Structure formats: C-alpha cells, structure tokens
Amino acid sequence: MLGGAAAASALAGCGSGGDSDGGPAKSQEPPRAAPPGQPSASASASAAPDPSRGSAEPRPLYLGTYTSAEGGGKGIGIASYDPASGRITGRGTITGVQDPSYLAVHPDGGTLYAVNERERGAVTAVRLSDGKVLGGRPTGGAHTCHLSVHPGGRWLLSADYGSGSVAVHPIAASGAIGERTDRVTHSRPAPRSGQQGPHAHQFITAPDGGHVLAVDFGTDTVYSYRLDERAGTLLEVAQAHTRAGAGPRHLTFHPGGRYAYLADEADDSVAVCAYEPSSGRLTIGRPQSTGAKADTNYPAQLAVTPDGGYAFLANRGDNTLARYAVEADGARLRLLGTVPVEGDFPRQIALSPDGGLLFAANQRSGTVSVFRVDGTDGELRLAGEPFASPVAVCALPL
C-alpha cells in the first residue's frame, strides 16, 4: 500500500481522453520508441527539491499536453510550485514524448511515466534525475489515456480508450518499461449501441493493494482484477455496473480504503461506491449531483484530501470545482457548492501531497489554476493568476 506523496503521485488523476474532451484529431502515425530527449538544462533541477512534506523549497510539477493538437505543447512540461503561495514557475520541457496526456510517477520518485495517446497506443518512461527518455512500449491498444504504477513498483498499468483494453508492463530496476505481459479487452457486458464499443478510461490499484480496477466508459462497468505479481497477468474477479448510459470515467478512493467515488461523465453525476478488499467487489451507489448549472457538463474526476474530510470534482462545461464534505467515514458525500475554476474545460485536478493546494488543468484555455485548500472547511481560494500551459490536460504535483 502506498502512503503519502507516493500514493498521491501514483494514483492521482491526470485526465484521460474521451469523445467529449475535445482532444486532438487522432493521428494515424504509429508510435515510435521515444528517442533520447533533449530536455532543457533545468530538467534535472526540477527533481532536486527535497521530497519531505512541509518543505518551504519549491516542489516539482509536471504537465501533460497533446503534442499533435494545434497550439499544443512540445512534450512534458517541467515546472515547480511554491507550497506556500501556490505560484508556478516554468522550468522547460522534456521532448521526445508524443501526446503525453496522462502522467504518473514511480513510488521511489525516480521515474516519470507518460501515455502516448495516439492511434497506436504506447507508454513511455522518463528518468527524472536528468530528464532522459528511457524509451516506450506499445500497449497493443488504441489511444492510451491513463496509466498508474502498482504499489510494489514492478508493474505499469495502462488503459486504452480507443480499443477498450487494459495492459500490464513490467518495470525494470532502472525504471525502464519491459514488454507487455498481459492485455484484456472489455467485451462483457456488450456496450449499448450509442456508446460505440468499450472505452477503458482508467486503471488503478485499490488502496489495499490486493486488486486492480479498470473503469470503462463504453460498457458502464468497473472491472476488478487480481494481478499475478510474478507473471504480470490479470484475472477478472468482479464487475460493478452503473445505470445504463452513465459513462463512468474516473474512480477515486477514500484514504480509509472502504469507499470510492465515481465520476460519471455521460450523465453528469457522481456516486459513492463501497469496496470490499477481500473480494475486490465494488458496489456502486445512487447518482448524486455535480452541482453544475450549465446545460452541458462532463465531470472529469474527483480528488480527496489526505485526511479524507473533503472531496473536489472537476466540472467540464460548467467550468467549476464542486466541493463535498465527506461524512460517515467515507460512506457519504454532501455537496457544499461550487467555485469557478478560472479556466475553460478543467480536464483534470490533483492535490499536492500535503493536500494544501489543488491544481486544475484547463484544456481549452491552456492554463493551470491553483487553489489553496482550507483544511477546516474545504474552502477553495484561487492562488494568483492561472499559469499558461499549452493544451493543459494534466498537472502532476510532487
């Protein structure tokens, strides 16, 4: 089980692709093993701040984008943030990584992983000490939109939106990615006619470490698997179904590990889910309001404070952040209200490891908004002007 900064890094959402996201046109160019990058001289410096919580030193921040989109970035953005003020300072770019729309970090903090959200999906590893691109591996699917690192640090989990599949890759001691050990395409239950096939949106490990869960927008299902940690293979053990047409996108666990919160993109709702560690079974509760007032709204994901007291939701379309009080040890969400995100189409949100700051990556405005989180009441207060970042779809604070 991950704790502290490692847990936030490996499981924090960085947004994933979808039909409603307004992402780039899907390229037909096959992915290549990424060549050695040419990061700026500040690439190694960005990983230098001491990782201890509460440090007054600047902390690293990595930014995902679409390199194939008009006005998009050139690779993975490197930045730092002030833990007290929330101010972001740009440090450069790690080049040689195509369409890195989602990012995750190894539990030891030494390697960054990025999806390559292209027609032929892939995942890429970057060594953070010097910004060197260690190479990529194909997932075997299309439009890889999400990835996470298993808590033991030996397996990389990824989700392919275009093909509705999930994949497992081994991670070497160097942080490099090995050849794929398993791939599963979601075919049961069959997607409804309007959902155009399976669309895997997320693949994460439950807090107890015993099961890995995949969220599929196209089949309205969350799949629970056991991961064989020797062979890197998957065994399905349970399915949890939303109401028809809900379009589940991202699942976020409460720190207690017995409850999780599901953002349903298609029907603009969220749900509290009960999780049973012994079986891996998830039970999805009734739909709840996102607080959005706009006619069209696509909730992206939730983030939960480290103490489990509050949850926040990114509302794309309404362009707000919804605030919830978490009650009954995680079993209830109570909507407190919404605040403007001060950007357009907040694709992803993430909390700093100590929970004191919330970062929102605003895809259409090309900005990252930062909010101070009041630990006593969950209030969000904008921390200065949003930071300009081309087609910002992921912000990963360490």
Side-chain angles (χ1 to χ4, degrees), residues 36-107:
Q38 298 97 25
S40 71
S42 58
S44 59
S46 68
D50 179 71
S52 61
R53 290 188 183 186
S55 170
E57 296 297 317
R59 304 282 297 135
L61 175 69
Y62 297 96
L63 304 170
T65 185
Y66 284 115
T67 58
S68 61
E70 182 178 356
K74 304 299 183 184
I76 300 171
I78 307 168
S80 63
Y81 67 94
D82 185 312
S85 68
R87 183 176 184 272
I88 297 175
T89 301
R91 303 293 185 190
T93 303
I94 298 172
T95 60
V97 186
Q98 300 172 333
D99 290 325
S101 64
Y102 191 96
L103 308 172
V105 72
H106 193 278

Side-chain angles (χ1 to χ4, degrees), residues 86-360:
R87 183 176 184 272
I88 297 175
T89 301
R91 303 293 185 190
T93 303
I94 298 172
T95 60
V97 186
Q98 300 172 333
D99 290 325
S101 64
Y102 191 96
L103 308 172
V105 72
H106 193 278
D108 68 11
T111 310
L112 184 71
Y113 298 96
V115 303
N116 305 122
E117 192 174 338
R118 302 175 74 82
E119 180 65 28
R120 294 180 61 186
V123 287
T124 296
V126 178
R127 189 169 61 205
L128 290 181
S129 61
D130 57 4
K132 178 180 174 60
V133 178
L134 300 177
R137 296 284 187 177
T139 63
H143 306 137
T144 312
C145 64
H146 182 273
L147 83 175
S148 63
V149 183
H150 190 263
R154 296 181 53 223
W155 302 103
L156 185 67
L157 312 173
S158 58
D160 298 307
Y161 182 86
S163 53
S165 53
V166 292
V168 182
H169 289 80
I171 297 174
S174 66
I177 305 168
E179 291 286 351
R180 186 179 70 245
T181 55
D182 204 0
R183 175 173 174 260
V184 177
T185 299
H186 297 149
S187 58
R188 299 178 303 110
R192 297 183 312 116
S193 60
Q195 286 172 288
Q196 301 176 331
H199 295 300
H201 236 314
Q202 183 192 35
F203 199 17
I204 60 171
T205 305
D208 61 279
H211 297 87
V212 293
L213 288 82
V215 180
D216 196 295
F217 171 93
T219 62
D220 291 326
T221 300
V222 180
Y223 301 84
S224 295
Y225 297 94
R226 282 198 180 276
L227 171 67
D228 185 322
E229 294 188 46
R230 293 184 177 180
T233 54
L234 298 168
L235 174 66
E236 183 182 313
V237 295
Q239 294 183 6
H241 306 291
T242 67
R243 62 180 179 177
R249 179 183 176 91
H250 267 212
L251 186 74
T252 303
F253 274 90
H254 184 269
R258 299 304 297 266
Y259 297 96
Y261 313 112
L262 186 63
D264 290 323
E265 176 178 353
D267 74 353
D268 187 21
S269 69
V270 298
V272 177
C273 307
Y275 173 70
E276 177 50 59
S278 62
S279 65
R281 185 172 299 279
L282 196 76
T283 302
I284 300 174
R286 63 177 179 82
Q288 295 183 223
S289 173
T290 64
K293 301 298 191 293
D295 291 338
T296 302
N297 183 63
Y298 305 105
Q301 71 174 104
L302 293 110
V304 182
T305 55
D307 65 2
Y310 296 94
F312 307 101
L313 173 71
N315 280 320
R316 298 169 298 162
D318 197 54
N319 289 339
T320 58
L321 299 172
R323 298 187 303 115
Y324 297 86
V326 179
E327 300 174 335
D329 295 325
R332 289 199 303 265
L333 290 179
R334 177 167 56 87
L335 181 65
L336 299 175
T338 63
V339 298
V341 75
E342 303 298 339
D344 190 358
F345 219 64
R347 170 78 168 262
Q348 172 266 347
I349 57 175
L351 290 163
S352 59
D354 65 1
L357 296 171
L358 184 146
F359 297 77

